[in-house]
Amino acid sequence: MLVLCVLLPRFELAVAAGGRAALAQGSMALAPDPGREQLVGEVSQAAEAFGVHPGMRLGEALARCPRLALIPPDPLGVADAWEAVVARLEGIGAEVEAPRPGLAYFDAGALRRLHGGAGPHWLDPLVAVTRRAVEVPARIGAGPTRFCALAGAARARSRRAEVVDGARALAGEPVALLRRRDDTAGLVEPLERLGIRTLGALAALSRGHVADRFGAAGLLARDLAAGRDAPLRPRAPGELLEEVLELPESASGEQLGRALGLLVDRLLARRERRGRTLRAVVLGARLVEGGTWRERVVFREALADPARMRMVLAQRLGLLPAPAEVLRLTAERFGPAHAGAHALFDDGSAQRRARLAEAVRQARAAAGPDAALRVLEVDPDSRVPERRAVLTPFE
């Protein structure tokens, strides 16, 4: 297997700042997420010159670079932009593993007959096709494992892919390369304090000493430095199913909860759902004060019950850092079709309710989700009649 790595440096920072041209304006970094640990995100090249790196504490970053400009994160914009890039890579036939925005892997050998050339330089045509699919400046590396390919992408500067063959080619790379993996990023500073500054020096240590000092993360870092890595885990391409609601004015509290209920009803009423349950959803919002907020929610079991979904999502909605002007709910993973539970002895009312539910499903299948609606109170105390209640899909 030959793994190809597509690295888009400072992808999240470029999206939040409004484009790559803005990164040339000076030292800047992504501000910490509201309510999270005070660590800076991606940093510009000018900030790196002062010794600032992703994952550094905010106080230390400002001490090293007093003129550091903090850019509010834009998780919704980053997710949309990165989904478009991954979809274009899948459009050329690649099975993509995308661990985080700005970083993607796929098996180049599987596309050799489709896009590759002949002879020893068969990889060059595939690299050209990949660059056209990404549509933004990217660094491309290749290697037998994903970490070797990542090292090649970090080293690449030309239009050709940089190939890192294995442990011998990794020996001279700095241990700072481990920062690009979330599970080994915290080992870089301890290793440098111990005088271990290259991956070759890390691979030369015994497994017992590394495990005693750094535990499982240290063993993983040693395996990566020795050219060993887990196989690729490409994602399964899925369909996009989402609902967006623009709030007439900055909403919070009970009104925001009712808007969430409206989104849940609309999402479950979509014809594209085809009766499937939802395993994971993404709740997002565009804030009035600027910036966005995004929270991924995985249900304990696949759900199609609007009441249970609202109860779970309302708890996450309490984490919203500011009033929202746009609320968005996206289905990320689907579960099996909801079979429904039946009582041992159904009385007449249960049978009538079952027939009514079947009639609603048939009407919706014939005329769309607006075929059966119910009245949902949004702001009962409002003086404007149109704001007191709205029509929402009937479940």
Side-chain angles (χ1 to χ4, degrees), residues 196-218:
I196 304 172
R197 300 187 178 278
T198 64
L199 295 177
L202 175 60
L205 299 176
S206 67
R207 289 183 60 86
H209 291 161
V210 174
D212 182 63
R213 179 63 178 84
F214 299 108

Side-chain angles (χ1 to χ4, degrees), residues 309-387:
M309 288 182 61
R310 285 193 293 266
M311 180 179 64
V312 174
L313 295 176
Q315 299 176 0
R316 300 299 181 93
L317 202 61
L319 303 176
L320 198 66
E325 61 182 8
V326 175
L327 200 61
R328 185 169 78 177
L329 183 63
T330 307
E332 188 178 71
R333 289 183 57 191
F334 292 96
H338 183 59
H342 299 278
L344 182 60
F345 301 101
D346 286 338
D347 56 3
S349 61
Q351 294 178 1
R352 286 192 297 272
R353 184 176 294 274
R355 289 196 296 267
L356 178 60
E358 180 60 24
V360 170
R361 285 193 293 268
Q362 292 180 7
R364 185 172 291 139
D370 295 334
L373 302 175
R374 67 183 177 91
V375 178
L376 175 68
E377 291 186 352
V378 176
D379 191 1
D381 300 328
S382 176
R383 296 183 178 180
V384 182
E386 291 79 7
R387 292 185 181 178

Side-chain angles (χ1 to χ4, degrees), residues 133-151:
V134 173
E135 296 182 0
V136 293
R139 299 179 183 177
I140 299 180
T145 66
R146 67 163 70 83
F147 190 70
C148 291
L150 176 60

Side-chain angles (χ1 to χ4, degrees), residues 19 25 41 51 72 103 117 133 138 150 153 248 276 298 301 329 351 395:
Q25 297 179 0
L103 181 62
L150 176 60
R276 293 171 294 177
V298 179
E301 58 181 355
L329 183 63
Q351 294 178 1
E395 287 291 331

Side-chain angles (χ1 to χ4, degrees), residues 4-159:
L4 206 69
C5 173
V6 180
L7 177 63
L8 278 62
R10 305 174 181 88
F11 180 79
E12 298 182 47
L13 180 61
V15 173
R20 292 198 170 271
L23 302 184
Q25 297 179 0
S27 302
M28 60 181 62
L30 277 179
D33 293 327
R36 304 289 176 86
E37 194 173 1
Q38 296 298 293
L39 304 176
V40 298
E42 293 181 345
V43 301
S44 65
Q45 190 172 4
E48 286 184 350
F50 287 90
V52 182
H53 60 78
M56 179 177 287
R57 293 199 171 274
L58 180 59
E60 183 179 355
L62 293 175
R64 294 191 179 192
C65 183
R67 295 186 179 181
L68 183 67
L70 297 176
I71 307 299
D74 185 8
L76 279 185
V78 169
D80 292 342
W82 182 236
E83 179 62 30
V85 173
V86 175
R88 290 196 295 269
L89 287 176
E90 292 173 341
I92 67 174
E95 293 184 338
V96 183
E97 176 185 344
R100 60 177 176 82
L103 181 62
Y105 305 97
F106 62 88
D107 182 9
L111 300 179
R112 180 171 183 175
R113 293 188 176 182
L114 184 62
H115 298 294
H121 300 294
W122 66 269
L123 193 61
D124 293 343
L126 177 58
V127 171
V129 171
T130 302
R131 290 189 183 277
R132 289 196 296 268
V134 173
E135 296 182 0
V136 293
R139 299 179 183 177
I140 299 180
T145 66
R146 67 163 70 83
F147 190 70
C148 291
L150 176 60
R155 186 194 301 175
R157 293 295 184 273
S158 63
R159 300 290 296 178

